[in-house]
Amino acid sequence: MQKSVRYNEGHALYLAFLARKEGTKRGFLSKKAAEASRWHEKWFALYQNVLFYFEGEQSGRPAGMYLLEGCSCERTPAPPRTSAGPAGARDALDKQYYFTVLFGHEGQKPLELRCEEEQAGKEWMEAIHQASYADILIEREVLMQKYIHLVQIVETEKIAANQLRHQLEDQDTEIERLKSEIVALNKTKERMRPYHSHQEDEDPDIKKIKKVQSFMRGWLCRRKWKTIVQDYICSPHAESMRKRNQIVFTMVEAETEYVHQLYILVNGFLRPLRMAASSKKPPISHDDVSSIFLNSETIMFLHEIFHQGLKARLANWPTLVLADLFDILLPMLNIYQEFVRNHQYSLQVLANCKQNRDFDKLLKQYEANPACEGRMLETFLTYPMFQIPRYIITLHELLAHTPHEHVERKSLEFAKSKLEELSRVMHDEVSDTENIRKNLAIERMIVEGCDILLDTSQTFIRQGSLIQVPSVERGKLSKVRLGSLSLKKEGERQCFLFTKHFLICTRSSGGKLHLLKTGGVLSLIQCTLIEEPDASDDDSKGSGHMFGHLDFKIVVEPPDAAPFTVVLLAPSRQEKAAWMSDISQCVDNIRCNGLMTIVFEENSKVTVPHMINKTLNSCKVPQIRYASVERLLERLTDLRFLSIDFLNTFLHTYRIFTTATVVLAKLSDIYKRPFTSIPVRSLELFFATSPNNRGEHMVDGKSPRLCRKFSSPPPLAVSRTSSPVRARKLSLTSSLNARIGALDLTTSSCSSSPTTHSPTASPPPHTAAVLESSPADRAGDPTELSPCRSPSTPRHLRYRQPGGQAADSSHCSVSPASAFAIATAAAGHGSPPGFNNTERTCDKEFIIRRTATNRVLNVLRHWVSKHAQDFELNNELKMNVLNLLEEVLRDPDLLPQERKATANILRALSQDDQDDIHLKLEDIIQMTDCPKAECFETLSAMELAEQITLLDHVVFRSIPYEEFLGQGWMKLDKNERTPYIMKTSQHFNEMSNLVASQIMNYADISSRANAIEKWVAVADICRCLHNYNGVLEITAALNRSAIYRLKKTWAKVSKQTKALMDKLQKTVSSEGRFKNLRETLKKNKKHSSWPCSCNPPAVPYLGMYLTDLAFIEEGTPNFTEEGLVNFSKMRMISHIIREIRQFQQTAYRIDQQPKVIQYLLDKALIIDEDTLYELSLKIEPRLPA
């Protein structure tokens, strides 16, 4: 008989080693020996359910072990002590903590232990209790009892089933017997029929019995069916169907109410207002009616059709099939996009119209209609905003009560998904909400806060990192400080450009943003942009050479403080041109809007034109939804609407509906023939003259539209002085406040009659803005402000307070728009020969020509500076623009600032080398010709991540934005139409293949696990560098079937690496249209300062944007049925392209390492997919089935 048990001593030693290293509880305990009252101190270690004890803490081999499974641990009182020994020792022994481990096995003695402290003893008891698996054993016992109970139930059910089976068999036998008896009776009846035929009619008692039997049979049948129906009514399926039908009935009632609301909106407001707009004295124009009600009439017709379909379905109750109705409704719900997108503008137009007393009175009369039930027009306009979410909620409730096997469940799920997508797109397209969200995001990042961002009319334009150069008075650079200042560290600023303000912030070590105490918030109305240093300014020359002509200046002239200059340094010439173009456009918009509003409102005799009042109350302009190509080309140079958003959208997407040649031809035509090319609506601003000479300068004197709504122009005085310099002053006698003081209205001229003096007159009671063009006066004026150097703000203009100067009594009838033309087109230091100065002041033809030239130059400057790729790829277009600019330079009447702006555009366009400091992909490939490349083992994770990020950004930045138009990457000729997008996709696949190939090159498990951990670390560093494309490259490689199936290899990977891998995969997951990645890009972290994306530079995943563009392209057409351009779609495409270009503009400051790049681009290291899977099968063969 076997007396011993064999065990694997090596395994026991390994467990003892793990217990010493990773044991849940370790420490010294006293163990009672077999002899009575003798205790030995041992070092115990608990690992899982095994308790080891060693002779000492440094002992490598255990003295013994106990298996604790099924044991119990309880505290025992201290054993009685003899009186021998000192009293202190006895007290110490009594204070010790005693406990006993009782084993469940028979014949095994309990283990008596003690420790010095009670807390330690309780921890040991708790640890031993957990290691005994007592809770699991109790749970096992409970489960066993349940199992026995279930077995008993099953046995009982089996017995009952057998009994029922026997009963059924007996019933079948009885049924067969009864059938045989019925057959026998029928045969007997047939034989007896001849004998009964001669008998009298049936006995009345028999008839009564038969009636009673028939009644009983019917009653039993009805009772049976009543029981069946009652059981079904109480069933969960019937309850679900009742709720589903109730939801449908509620939806029909809500649809009926919604159609009624739309009916009131259209018949109670829209159609009566259309009739009022056609009256002789219209209180509202047709354009405003269309802007207020948008496409509400179309929405009403759509829902009337849907409502009729719902009522027809109710006629077929209880069979309610709704999916086909939603299939009809879904393609037409895109009309809600336009309504939701322009709802805010609709309410704004309505608010402006209510300022008209006649309209307000008429509207109150309509709202008093009993059908309105006291509701206002704004309430009815808001109802369509909630209809799509209401359908989503209804479908969600329907699906909750629709069985999975229902015939229309899939159709309802499809309709719900499409409505949710439409709702998300509509939410993303609400420009006002998006703009407010961006502004608030930036405001929250600034520690001090910024109240100007709470203005809803403040629109975000661009942001980026610029370097601020220190300066002192008069714009002179502090050369002393430049030598000891690290511009990249101390001078780096986060700059934000809005339509009205320019913010300059510093970043603290914690990532927070702080506004500069001086010059942190610049009001663009007080700013002047100096694009190029003055040729006579020696200091500017020095700074230009010092910074490589990357610097530009912003001269700030606050009304309550001394003027100062902000000098900023851009990373490249392209970014400098982009910044200057955007700033200049914003300044143009503000000065146009502010100037024209003040000019019209300050003179009581002038009625503000509705088209201007509607547009100029804020920097926002009416957005175009649909328009013809001709109207879009007119909008480019329409003086009424100066919108940088429209200009960006047009230049991004014009290839879809026209060509660059047509655009350039339109600009050339406007420059050469402004009177015939500029639309009449825009020329109305220039021909608003007094009644005396209203028809003198009209293009068409018969057209009443050229002079409507202008009762009298603001007094614009031309005064002649006896100045020896013969300077001419043009003063606008309107009370311009200090905030608009920089808006100078002047034109320079030299008097042909220097001896003629004008009668003196008392100065007006209010301040007049007077500007001088005399060089002598400018030199002698100590209060002279910094010059304006932008084409839109001429440098010779100065703002002065005319101290008691006499005003001329003779007035020249010039409209407010003409005053704006003078301010924007301006004049130079001297008058070019061949054009009299007095004629310049009063001749509207000259004003219109200068304004048209200025606007054309602004468009060309924006086109050349921000869309240079158009001219690099189209040499014919480039030559045509050069010819046009050269023709402009030959214009003898060209103003100095226009000539300077033309020369700047010409110089920027003529430069073959754009001085691009960014790397190009071809340069990177040439660097791979190194004699020796690095191997994977010798490269650190940081080096790999940095060089991967550098390569990814170079490839991403090389994509021209025209490849994002037209879904060229999905066409058959995609390699010809979108070569750079295809190159980006190819680079992504090659990097992913390299990662997978490098892992599979190792034969042993440990090396493969180490390679996986290293690549995951590289991906995490890429995440920190905001290279989410690199993160997806690596995670996609690790998720390949050839690597994912290597279970033994993954078992060697640490838990921390696996957790990090899961986190990275979740970040770049494609679920929900890359929902997590979008949230990561938009999340305002403490170290991030971008409201719409993470802190640049960054490399997003290109496929996310391609998916968005494909969704927009497939969801909406480029042209309407009437042939109009769907400009709302162009705006959505432009917003995505601008976000992509934001990431493309800022480069990484990472030094290229040729050896690392050669390793990353070495295609010899890449293994194809089939070979990878074969290697995977060799490393870990498939397990037998």
Side-chain angles (χ1 to χ4, degrees):
M1 184 175 180
Q2 184 179 357
K3 297 182 180 180
S4 62
V5 179
R6 293 183 179 180
Y7 73 101
N8 190 335
E9 184 178 3
H11 183 64
L13 293 176
Y14 178 72
L15 291 178
F17 172 75
L18 291 179
R20 291 178 54 84
K21 185 178 180 181
E22 302 176 359
T24 56
K25 185 65 177 176
R26 292 168 290 180
F28 285 95
L29 293 174
S30 296
K31 171 179 175 295
K32 188 174 183 181
E35 298 81 10
S37 69
R38 291 195 61 183
W39 296 82
H40 300 283
E41 188 177 29
K42 306 290 184 180
W43 194 81
F44 284 76
L46 177 62
Y47 182 74
Q48 294 183 358
N49 62 339
V50 182
L51 180 64
F52 295 89
Y53 64 93
F54 302 79
E55 292 297 332
E57 186 177 1
Q58 302 300 328
S59 299
R61 188 178 185 86
M65 57 184 286
Y66 293 91
L67 186 64
L68 300 179
E69 184 173 356
C71 70
S72 62
C73 184
E74 60 185 17
R75 183 176 181 181
T76 57
R81 298 294 176 186
T82 61
S83 59
R90 288 197 303 269
D91 294 339
L93 292 174
D94 292 336
K95 292 180 179 179
Q96 291 186 347
Y97 192 91
Y98 293 81
F99 58 96
T100 304
V101 180
L102 302 176
F103 299 92
H105 312 292
E106 294 180 1
Q108 187 170 0
K109 296 181 179 180
L111 176 62
E112 297 183 22
L113 301 171
R114 74 180 183 187
C115 61
E116 298 294 333
E117 298 177 1
E118 181 179 357
Q119 181 63 27
K122 290 181 179 179
E123 292 177 356
W124 273 103
M125 287 183 64
E126 179 65 23
I128 293 172
H129 177 73
Q130 292 179 0
S132 66
Y133 302 144
D135 297 335
I136 298 177
L137 292 175
I138 294 173
E139 186 178 356
R140 178 180 177 276
E141 187 66 23
V142 174
L143 293 176
M144 184 58 67
Q145 293 295 333
K146 292 181 180 180
Y147 173 76
I148 294 172
H149 178 66
L150 291 175
V151 169
Q152 292 175 355
I153 293 175
V154 170
E155 293 298 328
T156 304
E157 293 294 327
K158 286 182 179 179
I159 295 172
N162 289 330
Q163 293 176 355
L164 291 174
R165 193 179 297 110
H166 291 310
Q167 291 178 5
L168 290 174
E169 292 175 356
D170 295 339
Q171 293 293 335
D172 291 338
T173 305
E174 183 68 16
I175 290 171
E176 293 297 329
R177 187 183 66 79
L178 292 175
K179 286 183 178 179
S180 62
E181 288 182 2
I182 291 173
V183 171
L185 290 173
N186 287 334
K187 291 180 179 179
T188 304
K189 184 179 180 181
E190 290 293 330
R191 288 195 300 267
M192 294 178 65
R193 182 174 296 174
Y195 301 98
H196 289 284
S197 61
H198 301 286
Q199 295 179 359
E200 296 179 358
D201 293 339
E202 196 172 8
D203 190 7
D205 294 334
I206 298 298
K207 291 183 178 179
K208 291 179 180 179
I209 292 172
K210 288 183 177 180
K211 286 183 179 179
V212 172
Q213 289 178 342
S214 176
F215 174 80
M216 291 300 298
R217 283 195 299 269
W219 179 78
L220 290 174
C221 183
R222 286 192 299 271
R223 183 179 179 183
K224 180 181 178 180
W225 278 106
K226 182 179 180 180
T227 304
I228 293 174
V229 171
Q230 286 179 348
D231 292 340
Y232 175 76
I233 290 174
C234 298
S235 65
H237 181 270
E239 181 66 20
S240 179
M241 289 297 100
R242 282 195 298 272
K243 292 182 179 178
R244 185 176 187 274
N245 292 338
Q246 184 61 37
I247 292 170
V248 175
F249 298 150
T250 304
M251 184 178 72
V252 174
E253 294 175 359
E255 191 69 18
T256 303
E257 177 65 20
Y258 181 58
V259 171
H260 180 64
Q261 293 166 354
L262 292 176
Y263 180 84
I264 296 174
L265 176 64
V266 173
N267 292 280
F269 293 97
L270 172 58
R271 291 172 180 172
L273 286 178
R274 280 181 179 170
M275 296 177 63
S278 301
S279 61
K280 293 183 179 180
K281 295 182 179 181
I284 187 173
S285 65
H286 283 285
D287 291 340
D288 288 339
V289 173
S290 300
S291 300
I292 293 173
F293 293 93
L294 303 171
N295 51 0
S296 55
E297 194 170 17
T298 307
I299 294 176
M300 186 191 71
F301 293 149
L302 170 64
H303 284 278
E304 285 180 346
I305 297 172
F306 184 70
H307 184 238
Q308 292 296 330
L310 284 177
K311 292 195 294 186
R313 294 298 187 274
L314 286 180
N316 299 326
W317 190 87
T319 305
L320 289 175
V321 180
L322 305 175
D324 55 345
L325 278 180
F326 279 101
D327 291 340
I328 298 173
L329 182 67
L330 284 176
M332 296 183 286
L333 285 181
N334 287 329
I335 61 176
Y336 275 93
Q337 290 181 248
E338 292 299 324
F339 191 94
V340 173
R341 185 186 310 123
N342 296 281
H343 178 68
Q344 188 70 23
Y345 174 67
S346 171
L347 298 180
Q348 180 182 352
V349 174
L350 178 60
N352 293 337
C353 291
K354 281 187 175 182
Q355 298 177 5
N356 186 347
R357 294 182 179 180
D358 295 336
F359 174 82
D360 189 52
K361 181 179 179 180
L362 184 64
L363 183 60
K364 289 180 179 179
Q365 179 181 347
Y366 294 155
E367 292 174 348
N369 191 336
C372 296
E373 299 177 352
R375 292 171 291 184
M376 301 175 63
L377 175 58
E378 290 87 343
T379 305
F380 288 97
L381 291 173
T382 308
Y383 286 140
M385 297 286 291
F386 307 101
Q387 193 61 21
I388 299 298
R390 185 181 293 120
Y391 283 149
I392 295 174
I393 295 172
T394 302
L395 287 176
H396 182 78
E397 294 175 349
L398 272 178
L399 288 171
H401 299 289
T402 301
H404 289 278
E405 64 274 9
H406 200 276
V407 65
E408 62 175 357
R409 181 173 180 86
K410 291 185 178 179
S411 299
L412 291 176
E413 289 177 345
F414 176 78
K416 177 174 172 288
S417 64
K418 288 297 183 183
L419 284 173
E420 288 176 346
E421 291 178 3
L422 179 63
S423 178
R424 285 194 294 267
V425 172
M426 289 164 53
H427 180 269
D428 293 339
E429 289 177 355
V430 180
S431 57
D432 287 334
T433 305
E434 189 71 23
N435 178 58
I436 294 172
R437 186 162 59 251
K438 287 181 181 179
N439 292 359
L440 293 179
I442 300 175
E443 199 271 340
R444 284 194 298 268
M445 289 187 297
I446 300 175
V447 176
E448 300 84 1
C450 190
D451 294 339
I452 64 161
L453 298 182
L454 303 180
D455 182 8
T456 57
S457 65
Q458 192 85 252
T459 304
F460 174 79
I461 302 298
R462 69 179 289 118
Q463 74 174 87
S465 297
L466 298 174
I467 297 174
Q468 183 176 5
V469 180
S471 59
V472 293
E473 290 86 7
R474 300 181 182 179
K476 300 295 183 179
L477 293 178
S478 178
K479 298 181 180 179
V480 179
R481 293 189 59 193
L482 286 177
S484 60
L485 177 65
S486 177
L487 291 179
K488 291 185 179 180
K489 293 183 179 179
E490 298 182 21
E492 187 171 1
R493 304 285 187 262
Q494 275 295 324
C495 300
F496 300 88
L497 176 62
F498 296 87
T499 50
K500 297 181 181 180
H501 291 82
F502 186 79
L503 306 185
I504 304 177
C505 304
T506 60
R507 191 192 304 280
S508 62
S509 58
K512 295 291 185 179
L513 295 179
H514 298 270
L515 285 172
L516 294 181
K517 295 182 179 179
T518 303
V521 180
L522 305 181
S523 177
L524 294 180
I525 196 71
Q526 304 167 356
C527 294
T528 300
L529 175 66
I530 300 180
E531 301 182 4
E532 295 291 340
D534 203 3
S536 61
D537 195 342
D538 296 336
D539 192 74
S540 297
K541 288 182 180 179
S543 65
H545 293 294
M546 184 184 306
F547 302 123
H549 298 284
L550 299 179
D551 59 321
F552 60 94
K553 300 179 182 179
I554 299 178
V555 179
V556 186
E557 300 173 340
D560 53 352
F564 59 92
T565 302
V566 178
V567 183
L568 297 173
L569 190 64
S572 64
R573 289 196 174 185
Q574 286 76 13
E575 291 198 33
K576 173 189 174 183
W579 274 103
M580 291 193 305
S581 178
D582 288 340
I583 295 174
S584 177
Q585 287 291 334
C586 292
V587 171
D588 287 349
N589 294 353
I590 292 179
R591 297 194 174 184
C592 171
N593 299 341
L595 176 63
M596 297 189 70
T597 303
I598 289 176
V599 167
F600 279 115
E601 292 178 354
E602 288 297 333
N603 194 305
S604 59
K605 296 181 180 180
V606 178
T607 303
V608 181
H610 180 68
M611 58 182 176
I612 298 177
N613 189 31
K614 177 178 65 176
T615 308
L616 303 183
N617 286 335
S618 67
C619 285
K620 296 183 180 181
V621 298
Q623 290 186 344
I624 293 179
R625 296 188 295 274
Y626 306 103
S628 62
V629 178
E630 293 76 12
R631 183 66 187 94
L632 292 176
L633 291 173
E634 289 178 1
R635 179 72 175 267
L636 266 183
T637 53
D638 198 330
L639 185 61
R640 300 172 301 163
F641 308 111
L642 303 176
S643 170
I644 188 171
D645 181 72
F646 172 82
L647 189 55
N648 284 327
T649 301
F650 183 91
L651 293 178
H652 276 140
T653 60
Y654 70 86
R655 293 171 185 78
I656 298 178
F657 50 85
T658 186
T659 61
T661 304
V662 175
V663 177
L664 183 60
K666 180 64 177 178
L667 294 176
S668 177
D669 195 44
I670 289 175
Y671 166 71
K672 296 177 182 178
R673 293 178 293 276
F675 287 95
T676 58
S677 300
I678 296 178
V680 178
R681 292 180 298 274
S682 186
L683 287 176
E684 290 175 359
L685 298 173
F686 296 95
F687 290 98
T689 57
S690 60
N692 296 331
N693 50 2
R694 179 173 295 174
E696 294 177 5
H697 301 284
M698 284 188 182
V699 177
D700 184 5
K702 299 180 180 181
S703 175
R705 298 181 60 194
L706 296 179
C707 53
R708 64 177 181 180
K709 293 187 180 180
F710 291 86
S711 59
S712 175
L716 192 65
V718 180
S719 61
R720 299 174 182 176
T721 66
S722 58
S723 171
V725 193
R726 303 176 183 178
R728 304 263 313 177
K729 299 179 182 179
L730 182 65
S731 63
L732 178 64
T733 56
S734 60
S735 57
L736 298 174
N737 54 24
R739 185 172 180 84
I740 315 296
L743 294 176
D744 306 331
L745 301 178
T746 183
T747 180
S748 62
S749 57
C750 296
S751 177
S752 58
S753 178
T755 59
T756 304
H757 299 273
S758 60
T760 59
S762 60
H766 52 270
T767 306
V770 179
L771 293 94
E772 292 186 339
S773 60
S774 170
D777 287 354
R778 287 199 310 271
D781 187 5
T783 62
E784 178 186 23
L785 302 183
S786 301
C788 306
R789 306 284 180 92
S790 171
S792 61
T793 55
R795 68 176 183 180
H796 67 282
L797 300 182
R798 302 289 186 273
Y799 176 73
R800 285 185 157 186
Q801 297 293 338
Q805 293 184 6
D808 191 3
S809 59
S810 61
H811 295 279
C812 174
S813 299
V814 181
S815 70
S818 304
F820 167 73
I822 300 171
T824 54
H829 290 282
S831 301
F835 205 99
N836 184 271
N837 295 309
T838 306
E839 294 175 354
R840 281 193 174 185
T841 304
C842 302
D843 195 340
K844 297 180 181 59
E845 179 180 354
F846 170 78
I847 295 172
I848 293 175
R849 289 188 180 278
R850 298 282 59 82
T851 306
T853 302
N854 183 267
R855 192 70 180 135
V856 169
L857 291 178
N858 276 339
V859 174
L860 287 177
R861 179 181 59 181
H862 202 84
W863 195 358
V864 171
S865 62
K866 302 187 71 173
H867 303 270
Q869 294 175 343
D870 294 4
F871 307 96
E872 296 173 1
L873 302 176
N874 190 343
N875 190 52
E876 181 181 359
L877 174 65
K878 181 178 179 180
M879 296 306 300
N880 291 336
V881 174
L882 290 174
N883 294 335
L884 176 61
L885 293 174
E886 291 174 355
E887 183 178 355
V888 173
L889 285 177
R890 290 193 294 269
D891 187 358
D893 295 329
L894 198 65
L895 300 176
Q897 287 303 313
E898 294 173 346
R899 190 176 303 278
K900 188 172 184 179
T902 306
N904 290 339
I905 301 172
L906 193 62
R907 182 169 59 254
L909 192 60
S910 302
Q911 289 178 349
D912 296 331
D913 183 11
Q914 297 293 330
D915 296 333
D916 193 354
I917 64 173
H918 302 303
L919 290 173
K920 296 182 179 179
L921 186 60
E922 293 75 11
D923 300 334
I924 296 291
I925 295 176
Q926 291 178 359
M927 295 178 185
T928 59
D929 300 331
C930 296
K932 182 180 179 181
E934 297 284 348
C935 60
F936 180 69
E937 293 81 3
T938 59
L939 297 174
S940 65
M942 179 63 72
E943 291 175 333
L944 288 171
E946 287 183 346
Q947 299 306 308
I948 288 174
T949 301
L950 180 63
L951 287 175
D952 287 348
H953 188 267
V954 168
V955 174
F956 175 73
R957 198 183 65 85
S958 64
I959 305 175
Y961 65 89
E962 59 265 15
E963 291 192 7
F964 297 113
L965 304 175
Q967 290 182 277
W969 62 90
M970 301 176 66
K971 309 298 182 183
L972 294 177
D973 56 344
K974 55 187 176 183
N975 292 324
E976 290 75 21
R977 297 182 63 176
T978 57
Y980 289 94
I981 291 180
M982 292 298 102
K983 188 179 297 182
T984 305
S985 177
Q986 179 185 356
H987 176 74
F988 182 95
N989 296 332
E990 289 177 353
M991 292 302 301
S992 185
N993 291 335
L994 175 65
V995 175
S997 303
Q998 187 62 56
I999 295 173
M1000 298 301 297
N1001 277 335
Y1002 294 101
D1004 57 310
I1005 296 178
S1006 300
S1007 298
R1008 285 196 301 274
N1010 292 335
I1012 290 176
E1013 291 181 351
K1014 187 173 182 179
W1015 280 117
V1016 172
V1018 172
D1020 190 46
I1021 298 174
C1022 288
R1023 178 189 62 82
C1024 297
L1025 293 173
H1026 296 160
N1027 179 15
Y1028 298 101
N1029 186 74
V1031 174
L1032 195 56
E1033 288 171 350
I1034 298 174
T1035 54
L1038 297 178
N1039 281 321
R1040 290 193 176 189
S1041 57
I1043 296 178
Y1044 187 77
R1045 64 177 299 275
L1046 301 177
K1047 295 183 180 180
K1048 295 181 181 179
T1049 303
W1050 283 102
K1052 289 285 186 179
V1053 178
S1054 64
K1055 295 181 180 179
Q1056 294 83 353
T1057 301
K1058 291 180 181 178
L1060 180 58
M1061 173 73 177
D1062 294 339
K1063 179 182 176 182
L1064 295 174
Q1065 285 180 333
K1066 185 177 180 181
T1067 301
V1068 295
S1069 173
S1070 61
E1071 295 181 358
R1073 295 174 61 242
F1074 296 94
K1075 176 183 177 182
N1076 295 333
L1077 181 56
R1078 295 178 193 273
E1079 291 179 355
T1080 303
L1081 291 173
K1082 293 181 180 180
K1083 189 179 299 181
N1084 294 312
K1085 302 179 181 179
K1086 65 180 182 178
H1087 58 276
S1088 175
S1089 63
W1090 274 50
C1092 57
S1093 55
C1094 64
N1095 191 23
V1099 186
Y1101 177 54
L1102 181 62
M1104 177 178 66
Y1105 295 111
L1106 297 182
T1107 304
D1108 294 343
L1109 291 170
F1111 182 79
I1112 295 173
E1113 291 282 0
E1114 295 174 358
T1116 52
N1118 293 332
F1119 298 91
T1120 63
E1121 295 180 355
E1122 295 80 10
L1124 301 179
V1125 178
N1126 187 355
F1127 205 70
S1128 298
K1129 175 182 178 180
M1130 305 299 127
R1131 193 176 295 111
M1132 289 187 284
I1133 294 174
S1134 176
H1135 288 171
I1136 295 176
I1137 293 177
R1138 272 190 280 176
E1139 186 172 346
I1140 294 174
R1141 295 189 72 186
Q1142 287 277 7
F1143 289 114
Q1144 288 180 329
Q1145 287 177 356
T1146 307
Y1148 283 90
R1149 297 177 181 177
I1150 298 176
D1151 296 331
Q1152 61 271 20
Q1153 301 182 21
K1155 293 184 178 181
V1156 183
I1157 292 177
Q1158 183 178 1
Y1159 163 75
L1160 294 174
L1161 297 180
D1162 190 358
K1163 297 183 179 180
L1165 301 175
I1166 298 177
I1167 305 174
D1168 62 273
E1169 186 70 24
D1170 296 336
T1171 308
L1172 279 176
Y1173 200 77
E1174 292 176 1
L1175 284 175
S1176 178
L1177 292 177
K1178 289 180 181 179
I1179 293 172
E1180 292 188 19
R1182 289 193 182 98
L1183 296 176

